[in-house]
């Protein structure tokens, strides 16, 4: 893989500085009439550097790997070399560097721990999670890198969806440091609850939800799962109340709660559905606009309450308002038929676009995720605010 100019400059600066500093120290301590070793090493360093500058990383790698066996003072430079290979995506070369360091019998304890951690990072980057896990488990037992090792173990267990191991690792991490995502432990229990609910184990699912509530009070995801369990057990009124509670805690979950409420109301007459949504249709135009948009995103554009709230959505969204004004007149005076047709058209548009977006990294998707597939943040996915005609252009 050819290196870009900034990478080459960085590599060159690193090795020139490392070589100069090392050789200066060696010259002062070892120079003498019977010891030509510094000159030999100087030649090897600059030979390896020349291969890097000529974009021949394999030849450079062979030179620097041979030099690890020459003297213990070269180890730090090789750590830097391995890390540079990993950052450039050349993980196999990084693994070779760090495995070569690990194989040295005279390695100090500090350098061995450093090499184990660097090799674990290499394996993780390469997707070799079983190898990375073994190294990080050893490091997590103690030492100067146990916190970073526990964070990597969490990432491994999350990607493998091994939620029970993730819970154990999270507990160890909390005992020594602050977790990167405080709500992660509640999500682990919710993931287990979802698995148990899918198997029909409602008792086990409720137990996991109790653990989630103990870890994170007023956790909206837990309320939505309890609503799903209530629906499975034919308790529609409880399910609707739980959904309403979840939206009160986190209004951005409206798009997820509405389909559950409609499922709970299935079989009831239109008057009862309208009564239920009167509690959601507050006088605030902004809230009514958000309700209409969330319902359209959720595929409920044909519901009567959407037609009632749609004029508020058109007034709150300048782009939509201008389009409707140019084609159909004042948005406040649209007929019921026009509102239905417009809601249907918006539904078709939104189903072809990225309706949810991570507020941390900008990753966009048509589906909702509790954990962003891009940056792995929890609780970062939210519906795109009103209608975004170019959602892929967004960056925080």
């Amino acid at each position: 893989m050819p290196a870009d100019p900034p990478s080459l400059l960085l590599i060159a600066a690193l090795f020139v500085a490392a070589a100069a500093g090392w050789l200066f120290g060696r010259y002062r301590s070892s120079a003498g009439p019977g010891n030509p070793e510094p000159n030999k090493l100087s030649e090897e360093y600059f030979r390896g550097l020349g291969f890097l500058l000529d974009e021949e990383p394999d030849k450079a790698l062979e030179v620097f790997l041979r030099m690890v066996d020459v003297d213990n003072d070269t180890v730090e430079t090789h750590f830097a070399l391995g890390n540079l290979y990993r950052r450039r995506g050349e993980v196999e070369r990084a693994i070779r560097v760090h495995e070569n360091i690990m194989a040295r019998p005279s390695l100090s304890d500090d350098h061995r721990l450093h090499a184990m951690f660097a090799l674990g990072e290499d394996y993780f980057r390469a997707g070799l999670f079983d190898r990375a896990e073994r190294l990080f488990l050893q490091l997590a037992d103690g030492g100067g890198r146990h916190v970073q090792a526990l964070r990597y173990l969490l990432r491994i267990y999350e990607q493998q969806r091994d939620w029970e191991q993730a819970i154990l690792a999270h507990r160890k991490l909390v005992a020594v440091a602050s977790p990167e995502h405080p709500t992660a432990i509640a999500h682990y229990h919710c993931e287990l609850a979802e698995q148990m609910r899918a198997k029909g184990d409602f008792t086990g699912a409720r137990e996991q939800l109790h653990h989630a509530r103990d870890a994170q009070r007023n956790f909206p995801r837990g309320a939505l799962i309890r609503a799903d369990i209530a629906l499975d057990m034919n308790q529609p009124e409880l399910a609707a109340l739980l959904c309403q509670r979840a939206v009160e805690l986190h209004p951005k979950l409206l798009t997820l709660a509405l389909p559950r409420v409609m499922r709970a109301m299935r079989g009831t007459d239109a008057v009862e559905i309208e009564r239920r949504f009167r509690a959601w249709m507050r006088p605030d135009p902004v809230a009514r606009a958000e309700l209409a948009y969330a319902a359209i995103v959720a595929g409920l554009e044909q519901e009567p309450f959407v037609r009632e709230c749609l004029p508020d959505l058109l007034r709150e969204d300048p782009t939509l308002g201008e389009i409707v004004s140019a084609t159909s007149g004042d948005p406040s005076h649209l007929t019921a038929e026009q509102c239905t047709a417009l809601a249907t058209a918006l539904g078709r548009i939104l189903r072809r676009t990225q309706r949810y977006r991570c507020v941390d990294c900008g990753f966009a998707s048509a589906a909702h995720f509790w954990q962003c597939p891009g940056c792995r943040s929890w609780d970062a996915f939210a519906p795109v605010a009103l209608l975004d005609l170019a959602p892929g252009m967004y960056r925080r």
Side-chain angles (χ1 to χ4, degrees), residues 20 23 27 76 79 91 132 165 181 184 191 198 221 242 246 276 284 299 323:
L23 288 169
Y27 178 80
E76 292 293 345
F79 279 131
V91 184
Q165 289 297 325
H181 300 291
E191 292 285 351
R221 183 182 183 183
L242 287 168
R276 168 65 60 186
D284 180 11
I323 293 173

Side-chain angles (χ1 to χ4, degrees), residues 85-340:
Y85 277 136
R86 189 195 316 121
R87 291 193 190 101
R88 295 178 61 201
E90 301 174 64
V91 184
E92 291 184 3
R93 293 189 177 107
I95 290 174
R96 287 191 61 194
V97 170
H98 293 132
E99 285 182 338
N100 192 284
I101 295 173
M102 284 282 293
R104 297 187 58 182
S106 61
L107 203 62
S108 68
D109 291 341
D110 287 343
H111 282 153
R112 189 166 301 280
L113 289 175
H114 187 173
M116 285 176 62
F117 185 80
L119 190 56
E121 289 185 301
D122 297 337
Y123 288 150
F124 180 86
R125 180 74 176 269
L128 303 172
F129 294 140
D130 55 338
R131 299 185 187 181
E133 181 186 6
R134 284 196 293 270
L135 290 175
F136 289 133
L137 281 173
Q138 295 179 55
L139 292 166
D141 288 336
R145 296 182 181 270
H146 63 290
V147 173
Q148 298 107 306
L150 285 168
R151 295 191 192 282
Y152 265 107
L153 285 172
L154 277 180
R155 294 171 65 184
I156 290 171
Y157 296 140
E158 287 177 357
Q159 294 202 34
Q160 293 180 326
R161 301 185 66 79
D162 190 343
W163 306 116
E164 292 179 347
Q165 289 297 325
I167 290 170
L168 294 176
H170 192 278
R171 287 174 180 167
K172 291 181 180 179
L173 178 61
V174 169
V176 295
S178 298
E180 187 177 1
H181 300 291
T183 64
I185 184 69
H187 281 290
Y188 300 157
H189 286 294
C190 284
E191 292 285 351
L192 289 174
E194 297 264 26
Q195 292 176 2
M196 293 176 180
R197 172 184 165 251
K199 297 175 183 177
D201 182 4
F202 299 141
T203 301
R206 287 198 187 95
E207 182 179 351
Q208 291 297 330
L209 292 175
H210 284 310
H211 291 315
R213 186 170 57 190
D214 290 341
Q216 192 76 29
R217 302 297 295 180
N218 297 324
F219 195 52
R221 183 182 183 183
L224 291 178
I225 298 175
R226 287 196 296 273
D228 289 333
I229 294 174
L231 288 170
D232 293 340
M233 300 183 69
N234 196 27
Q235 298 173 322
E237 185 65 25
L238 175 60
L241 289 174
L242 287 168
C243 288
Q244 187 167 347
R245 175 62 174 156
V247 172
E248 290 171 357
L249 292 172
H250 203 313
K252 294 296 184 182
L253 296 181
L254 188 58
T255 55
L256 303 182
L258 283 177
R260 291 172 167 87
V261 175
M262 293 307 299
R263 182 182 164 194
M265 294 291 99
R266 188 178 299 155
T268 61
D269 57 28
V271 175
E272 177 60 22
I273 294 177
E274 183 178 357
R275 183 193 68 78
R276 168 65 60 186
F277 280 99
R278 283 296 164 190
W280 302 53
M281 293 168 58
R282 301 190 300 274
D284 180 11
V286 174
R288 291 163 62 88
E290 290 176 348
L291 178 61
Y293 179 76
I296 294 172
V297 167
L300 304 175
E301 62 268 19
Q302 298 299 320
E303 297 300 326
F305 71 88
V306 177
R307 292 197 299 268
E308 186 172 341
C309 295
L310 189 61
D312 296 286
L313 173 61
L314 299 179
R315 283 190 293 268
E316 292 298 322
D317 189 302
T319 303
L320 279 178
E322 290 177 5
I323 293 173
V324 172
S325 296
T327 57
S328 305
D330 187 352
S332 301
H333 298 90
L334 296 177
T335 65
E337 291 76 13
Q338 287 175 315
C339 286
T340 299

Side-chain angles (χ1 to χ4, degrees), residues 26 30-43:
R26 289 289 294 174
S30 305
N35 191 356
E37 189 71 14
N39 289 334
K40 178 182 177 182
L41 289 173
S42 174
E43 292 174 2

